[in-house]
Amino acid sequence: MPGTLIPRDVAEPLREGVADLLQRENTRFPGAQPVSFAREHVTELQRQEYFMCEKTDGLRCLLYMYWKDGPNGLEPATFLIDRKNNYYDIEPPLHVPYYKNPNIPEQFLFNTILDGELVHDQYPGESTPRLNFYIFDCLAVDGENTTGKTLDKRLGRFQEWVLKPYHKRLAAQGPHADLRPFALKEKKTYPAYSIRQMFENVLPSLKHGNDGLIFTCKSSPYKFGTDEHILKWKPPHENTIDFKLRLGDFPTLEDDEGTYPDYDAQPSSFQLLVQHSDNKYEYFADLAVTPAEWDILKGLGERLDGRIIECHRTPAGQWKFKAEGDGTPRWRDDKKHANHISTVTSVLASIEAPVTEDMLLENEEAIKKAVYFIQGRGDKYTAPTEGEREAKKRKFSETGSNGH
């Protein structure tokens, strides 16, 4: 996370400002959260029109563009809000020209909240990745709360009032435009029936990590908290749960001065806890840890007990931590709490009855036909011929459905 963490008491007026802007009665993190994609959601994609985008493996946060008093008057101020509801002061701040007067450099956009993910993109020929902020939703622009609008209207407002003036300013700066602290990018969306295009063309060409797809209902307002109209699809092997880790007792050593815990030895258990209410956690399962994995854990030299750890279930039914490229666990320090039991139940349903890539592809044509009729252009829909269907199947099997 770039920027400087603002002490919680100092950030409270900012939280209150966000709550006022969004017309909320509390100052909790306002970001929407998806539900896990289950088999019944294949039918849901045929009942309502959904937008689809790739699920970026990045750091989810809200971007809050505000203002501050400077020596020459008002100046831009930029904050990132993580899922723990922490606020980070970003320097230099983003300067997005005011869409009503884009040619007046002193004017800038503020009172704006955008939803997105921080991502490190690797560009060809560059040794160092670039930090980009991919925006997939818009909560407020220029002091106007947009959460009551439909997704297409929210994204349209973001395009016209934020992205176009921002790009125009970058173009005026030329090839050496200042992209600090990160560049703003649009998370590109596709119709929910463009599944084959996503697997064959979009995912293989990404400059960053990906662990699934997100389907968001076009006609729904923005919902604070869990939104049953945002569907998170992951390949079966990517279905994970974020637990709170609790270590058991350590063996004891004894010497002339008494007994003391042997923190080099493996503890008696690694308990995985899930959230049942705000401050209530209950035991769910044990984390399976080999001696080699314990060596990795203790070699970190970091606190382990009480941290949020991302885990997956093996075919044999064991829970293992999701490992990063260097073998260390994927800690979810960006989250204040582990998954709620309702989320755990949803993910378990996806694990027990997974929706595979092949299943999505098999339903692509049915989704497309339904969407055409929802849009009132059913007369424009043309079913593919048997030869076209077979050609698509062969092309996908040659590509390899598990290679993305």
Side-chain angles (χ1 to χ4, degrees):
M1 178 72 82
T4 303
L5 176 62
I6 304 173
R8 292 195 70 84
D9 57 333
V10 178
E12 192 58 28
L14 292 172
R15 293 189 189 91
E16 293 172 355
V18 166
D20 288 343
L21 182 55
L22 299 178
Q23 300 167 302
R24 303 185 75 206
E25 295 182 355
N26 65 74
T27 60
R28 293 192 293 269
F29 178 71
Q33 303 293 339
V35 298
S36 294
F37 198 104
R39 291 188 176 180
E40 63 265 23
H41 290 132
V42 174
T43 305
E44 170 65 14
L45 296 181
Q46 299 171 51
R47 282 198 293 261
Q48 300 188 76
E49 187 177 357
Y50 276 73
F51 287 172
M52 173 180 62
C53 64
E54 58 95 7
K55 183 180 179 298
T56 306
D57 194 9
L59 183 62
R60 162 78 182 290
C61 44
L62 299 178
L63 177 66
Y64 181 32
M65 291 189 286
Y66 198 51
W67 57 269
K68 61 185 176 183
D69 286 317
N72 299 314
L74 296 184
E75 297 178 352
T78 303
F79 304 97
L80 285 176
I81 312 170
D82 68 13
R83 288 196 286 194
K84 291 182 179 180
N85 215 17
N86 291 319
Y87 281 61
Y88 294 81
D89 189 3
I90 303 302
E91 290 290 346
L94 291 171
H95 185 125
V96 176
Y98 190 44
Y99 62 96
K100 290 183 179 179
N101 301 305
N103 297 320
I104 302 178
E106 294 80 16
Q107 296 191 8
F108 58 91
L109 182 68
F110 61 92
N111 275 349
T112 296
I113 305 173
L114 306 173
D115 200 349
E117 276 192 305
L118 277 173
V119 181
H120 276 112
D121 276 344
Q122 188 64 60
Y123 288 80
E126 298 184 11
S127 58
T128 304
R130 299 186 208 170
L131 187 61
N132 292 322
F133 188 77
Y134 281 87
I135 296 158
F136 49 73
D137 216 323
C138 173
L139 285 72
V141 188
D142 192 23
E144 179 185 347
N145 178 7
T146 58
T147 58
K149 298 181 180 295
T150 58
L151 177 61
D152 57 330
K153 300 295 185 185
R154 300 196 303 269
L155 293 178
R157 186 63 55 86
F158 158 68
Q159 285 272 357
E160 295 299 321
W161 290 14
V162 182
L163 200 62
K164 285 185 178 179
Y166 172 76
H167 281 162
K168 185 176 180 180
R169 183 170 187 264
L170 290 184
Q173 292 176 352
H176 301 294
D178 188 356
L179 299 178
R180 297 175 302 157
F182 45 76
L184 298 183
K185 300 280 187 179
E186 175 193 14
K187 174 67 75 72
K188 190 170 182 181
T189 60
Y190 304 83
Y193 53 79
S194 301
I195 298 168
R196 190 174 302 276
Q197 177 188 359
M198 181 66 72
F199 285 136
E200 292 183 357
N201 301 323
V202 177
L203 299 187
S205 63
L206 293 175
K207 298 180 178 67
H208 50 255
N210 163 271
D211 57 358
L213 305 173
I214 295 288
F215 297 87
T216 306
C217 185
K218 174 185 174 181
S219 59
S220 294
Y222 191 96
K223 183 177 179 181
F224 309 122
T226 302
D227 187 347
E228 63 276 9
H229 291 114
I230 304 178
L231 313 176
K232 175 180 64 177
W233 178 86
K234 287 186 173 185
H237 66 279
E238 289 282 3
N239 274 313
T240 60
I241 295 175
D242 298 327
F243 295 103
K244 177 176 281 191
L245 180 62
R246 183 170 66 191
L247 301 186
D249 296 328
F250 286 86
T252 57
L253 294 174
E254 186 173 355
D255 60 17
D256 294 340
E257 298 181 0
T259 60
Y260 53 91
D262 179 7
Y263 291 117
D264 281 331
Q266 194 162 318
S268 59
S269 63
F270 299 86
Q271 298 182 9
L272 299 174
L273 312 180
V274 297
Q275 184 189 21
H276 284 257
S277 61
D278 283 348
N279 295 307
K280 182 182 178 183
Y281 280 84
E282 293 184 11
Y283 169 82
F284 179 81
D286 283 323
L287 178 67
V289 178
T290 65
E293 289 168 338
W294 170 242
D295 287 339
I296 291 174
L297 288 171
K298 69 180 181 182
L300 294 173
E302 301 171 354
R303 177 180 65 85
L304 305 176
D305 195 66
R307 288 176 76 178
I308 309 300
I309 188 170
E310 186 173 346
C311 302
H312 66 93
R313 196 177 75 175
T314 69
Q318 288 185 319
W319 287 96
K320 305 286 290 186
F321 62 73
K322 183 172 182 178
E324 302 284 13
D326 59 0
T328 60
R330 173 168 292 187
W331 301 107
R332 298 307 308 267
D333 294 333
D334 59 311
K335 301 181 68 173
K336 185 176 181 180
H337 290 291
N339 286 146
H340 189 269
I341 185 61
S342 58
T343 301
V344 172
T345 302
S346 177
V347 175
L348 286 176
S350 296
I351 292 175
E352 297 291 346
V355 179
T356 65
E357 295 178 20
D358 285 339
M359 291 173 66
L360 288 177
L361 286 162
E362 288 167 3
N363 286 276
E364 179 182 68
E365 205 58 43
I367 296 169
K368 182 177 181 179
K369 181 179 180 180
V371 169
Y372 269 56
F373 277 90
I374 291 171
Q375 295 174 338
R377 55 191 187 112
D379 58 324
K380 304 294 184 182
Y381 172 77
T382 303
T385 65
E386 187 63 30
E388 289 172 333
R389 282 195 290 266
E390 287 302 317
K392 287 183 177 180
K393 287 180 181 179
R394 284 196 302 273
K395 183 178 180 182
F396 186 68
S397 63
E398 290 166 3
T399 305
S401 61
N402 295 316
H404 305 302

